[in-house]
Amino acid sequence: MTGDQQGHSVAALAGRRIDAPNDDRKQFPIEQIPAVRRALGDIFKQEKVQILISSAACGADLLALDIALHLGVECRVVLPFAAERFRKTSVTDRPGDWGPLYDFVLTRVSARGNLIILDGGEKDDAAYSAVTGKIIEEALKIADPQLPIAVIVWEGEPRDTPDATAEFRQLAVQAGMCVRTVSTC
């Protein structure tokens, strides 16, 4: 990567999953998918993203990975634990047909050696927090000496419970990354 490139060639991304059917608090309504998809595509093009690092949960992650792969962007995926367990707990447990997209993305990134599976234990909050840190770490390492861009896909409000998206934003700001936000509402 040359220093005269415009934009940020490496992007780290985190964001909300699609709302569960019984959620009272709307964070990523399924009807917002087209608007979020357009906004992500615009950012990737404007920032000339060449490498995207994220997890692969339903919602923001899988939408971003799908767009990036179709734009020819190299993708790296970080999972907290085994891919099949993650598929059950973070992909197919929400509305939408996310399973086939997840399978497609994992097949593509695995074939290029770009799937990182952490040894997350039974404590999901700690495992997801480890993923958040690893996404930032990988982006900083790959982008060095430049700073990567951090793309946050959310409604803008941290939750009272552990919130990986808010944690991602905090880590990105602490690292001095340029933060771009995509609204899910």
Side-chain angles (χ1 to χ4, degrees):
M1 290 174 240
T2 62
D4 60 344
Q5 278 182 312
Q6 293 290 341
H8 298 265
S9 58
V10 178
L13 180 136
R16 298 292 190 217
R17 295 194 316 134
I18 291 297
D19 293 336
N22 56 352
D23 271 349
D24 290 336
R25 182 175 175 187
K26 297 299 177 199
Q27 295 178 332
F28 192 167
I30 199 163
E31 61 270 11
Q32 289 298 112
I33 288 174
V36 169
R37 181 180 282 281
R38 276 190 304 278
L40 286 169
D42 289 347
I43 287 173
F44 294 164
K45 290 173 190 170
Q46 290 166 2
E47 296 292 344
K48 296 177 176 57
V49 172
Q50 297 172 349
I51 301 171
L52 173 67
I53 302 134
S54 76
S55 194
C58 68
D61 296 347
L62 282 174
L63 288 176
L65 289 163
D66 185 38
I67 294 160
L69 287 169
H70 283 92
L71 290 173
V73 172
E74 185 82 15
C75 294
R76 183 168 292 183
V77 170
V78 182
L79 299 180
F81 34 70
E84 193 55 40
R85 177 178 168 207
F86 187 80
R87 189 181 200 278
K88 289 177 187 166
T89 62
S90 298
V91 177
T92 60
D93 64 328
R94 298 284 173 102
D97 191 18
W98 298 99
L101 180 55
Y102 175 79
D103 297 341
F104 167 77
V105 166
L106 257 58
T107 298
R108 293 283 299 271
V109 300
S110 294
R112 298 192 52 91
N114 285 332
L115 177 60
I116 300 169
I117 299 176
L118 304 179
D119 188 21
E122 295 301 312
K123 301 256 188 223
D124 285 349
D125 290 340
Y128 296 128
S129 183
V131 167
T132 300
K134 185 67 170 176
I135 291 169
I136 297 287
E137 175 189 314
E138 287 290 310
L140 290 169
K141 180 174 68 175
I142 293 168
D144 189 45
Q146 297 177 330
L147 282 175
I149 184 174
V151 182
I152 302 163
V153 185
W154 70 335
E155 77 292 357
E157 292 294 323
R159 294 185 213 139
D160 296 332
T161 58
D163 187 337
T165 304
E167 180 184 5
F168 176 85
R169 183 184 184 286
Q170 180 182 9
L171 290 173
V173 168
Q174 287 172 351
M177 296 166 71
C178 175
V179 175
R180 298 284 305 269
T181 302
V182 173
S183 177
T184 55
C185 293

